Amino acid sequence: SSELIKWKTILGRHSRLEDEIFLPALQARLKDGESLPEELVDGKDHDSVDKLVDKVLACSDGDTVLALRELSAEFNNHLEREETIIMPLLMKHFTKAEIYAMDYCVVNPKLDYVDKERKINVIEWWFGNLADSEVVALKKHFERAGKKPPLPIGDWKKLQDDIPALQKYPLEDLMPQ
């Protein structure tokens, strides 16, 4: 139960980042004829997973397995939608540098996504729960991201203009120091 609560917290931060950073940026760049499914845009996709986590946490022992299966199925459907709809559109409309910049919002200490303590909890959870192959892939991702040249200030400004959640911050607060 405590592991599921940790996972729910991590998932909540992840969902918030998608809803506030990635989806608005993507919507701003979509061309005529391109759109995102409404459940991804209005947050219902994340809400349904969150409600199923609550259902599992509230279950009596006899109902837990069934509720976990329901959660697993919905979460896998959610991931499938992200991988087949969101990721291809992100790769089409953003440079890798822009995607890394949006990823940086997660760990940017001036934003309100993951504070230092939660960052440690997330990293510990990842490395304690991911398969070895996933850990290796994540480590490589972090290494590549760390070696990328910084996004030019004009590109940061363009992202900020497309993402309402970032517009309240001075541009300098968004950029890695």
Side-chain angles (χ1 to χ4, degrees):
S1 170
S2 66
E3 284 301 309
L4 187 57
I5 292 170
K6 280 185 196 176
W7 183 76
K8 180 182 176 173
T9 301
I10 292 167
L11 183 65
R13 294 293 175 150
H14 169 86
S15 298
R16 187 172 150 229
L17 185 75
E18 286 179 358
D19 293 343
E20 292 180 8
I21 302 295
F22 284 92
L23 291 175
L26 184 55
Q27 285 183 289
R29 299 247 181 124
L30 292 177
K31 306 283 186 228
D32 288 338
E34 292 180 319
S35 64
L36 298 172
E38 192 61 34
E39 68 271 10
L40 291 174
V41 176
D42 65 12
K44 288 181 183 173
D45 208 46
H46 288 137
D47 291 344
S48 66
V49 172
D50 193 56
K51 287 176 184 172
L52 288 170
V53 173
D54 289 339
K55 181 178 176 179
V56 171
L57 289 169
C59 277
S60 60
D61 289 340
D63 299 327
T64 303
V65 171
L66 201 57
L68 279 169
R69 285 186 182 141
E70 187 179 0
L71 170 60
S72 177
E74 181 57 33
F75 186 65
N76 285 328
N77 288 335
H78 169 76
L79 292 176
E80 180 72 18
R81 284 186 289 276
E82 286 184 353
E83 290 173 12
T84 60
I85 298 168
I86 302 295
M87 290 308 297
L89 288 170
L90 284 171
M91 299 307 290
K92 177 179 177 182
H93 292 289
F94 294 90
T95 66
K96 285 183 182 180
E98 289 173 316
I99 293 172
Y100 284 129
M102 289 187 286
D103 274 345
Y104 173 70
C105 292
V106 169
V107 296
N108 183 333
K110 295 187 179 187
L111 304 181
D112 181 27
Y113 290 99
V114 179
D115 59 29
K116 188 175 182 177
E117 182 180 330
R118 281 220 172 88
K119 190 183 327 177
I120 291 168
N121 291 340
V122 168
I123 291 169
E124 287 174 349
W125 186 89
W126 275 342
F127 289 106
N129 290 283
L130 296 177
D132 290 343
S133 62
E134 294 170 315
V135 169
V136 169
L138 188 59
K139 184 175 181 276
K140 286 180 182 178
H141 170 75
F142 288 149
E143 288 170 355
R144 281 191 306 271
K147 293 177 184 175
K148 295 287 180 196
L151 191 67
I153 193 165
D155 292 346
W156 270 105
K157 178 65 176 137
K158 186 176 177 184
L159 282 176
Q160 184 185 40
D161 289 345
D162 288 343
I163 303 171
L166 298 182
Q167 293 170 6
K168 63 185 174 186
Y169 297 98
L171 190 57
E172 297 76 28
D173 284 358
L174 302 178
M175 302 168 61
Q177 303 299 316

